[in-house]
Amino acid sequence: MINTAQGHRASFYEKYIKRLLDILLSSLGLGLLSPLFLLIALAVWADEPGRAVLFRQERFGRYKRPFTMIKFRTMRTDDGGEPQVTRIGRFLRRTSLDELPQLFHVWTGKMSLVGPRPLILAEEVVILERDRYGANELRPGLTGWAQIHGRSTLGPEEKARYDGEYADRVSFLFDCRCLIVTVGKVLRQENVGDV
């Protein structure tokens, strides 16, 4: 059952254990995946030499504070000014590898491994809806409950409801469930890795 009251009361797990796990697992991930980071960066650069390897975009973070989120760049702008997915970008999006740089945000505390996805500043309807459930008081996640239920295929209210359900149910076991389902969806290349 989703708590629709204003505000979110953080559990002991959220206050102490979740952040510790984020630091430990993101440190491990950054260390183990550093060769992959280098290979992806080289592939993105080789696809368009001279262009930035990382894409930066303002997103809403915890307590609706904006922060600059990074991904591996997957888009180019053609002569007509229209953005197009690059060759390597198509692969990175399909496999969700473009999201890997966000492990740096998990390590620094701007994000968590699991939580409501950080929204672009134009998604005001979802932000307002999240307020009803206290979901804006959580660190945004690399993956989340709404993310694994359809991400961009969900309407604003439905997305906010899933985020609210996560805020109401957040626990170690629920985070494990979200991570396991995410891994399965990524391996099956289902609609997980965007936004």
Side-chain angles (χ1 to χ4, degrees), residues 34-174:
S34 55
L36 182 59
F37 272 72
L38 182 59
L39 285 173
I40 294 171
L42 288 171
V44 172
W45 180 85
D47 202 28
E48 278 192 293
R51 295 288 308 276
V53 169
L54 295 175
F55 169 74
R56 293 172 169 83
Q57 186 178 50
E58 288 294 299
R59 299 282 182 120
F60 280 115
R62 192 178 190 189
Y63 304 120
K64 298 185 280 191
R65 293 181 187 132
F67 75 103
T68 304
M69 192 182 81
I70 57 174
K71 296 182 177 188
F72 283 116
R73 185 175 57 78
T74 60
M75 303 285 284
R76 72 161 61 89
T77 303
D78 65 14
D79 295 335
E82 290 295 316
Q84 294 182 339
V85 180
T86 62
R87 288 171 296 177
I88 187 66
R90 193 169 293 109
F91 170 76
L92 294 177
R93 286 183 169 204
R94 194 171 63 243
T95 57
S96 298
L97 291 172
D98 61 321
E99 308 281 350
L100 284 181
Q102 291 163 47
L103 283 171
F104 286 106
H105 297 316
V106 176
W107 186 72
T108 60
K110 289 191 176 94
M111 291 178 65
S112 179
L113 289 173
V114 183
R117 281 294 290 162
L119 299 172
I120 59 174
L121 303 187
E123 292 187 272
E124 295 175 359
V125 175
V126 182
I127 285 292
L128 291 173
E129 286 292 312
R130 278 182 176 179
D131 274 337
R132 295 176 54 208
Y133 306 112
N136 288 322
E137 297 174 31
L138 304 176
R139 281 188 180 88
L142 195 60
T143 188
W145 192 234
Q147 180 88 344
I148 62 179
H149 280 87
R151 61 161 194 187
S152 55
T153 63
L154 301 175
E157 292 83 5
E158 194 176 7
K159 187 184 290 187
R161 275 199 304 274
Y162 278 118
D163 290 334
E165 186 176 347
Y166 175 77
D168 198 48
R169 297 175 62 186
V170 59
S171 67
F172 174 72
L173 290 177
F174 198 50

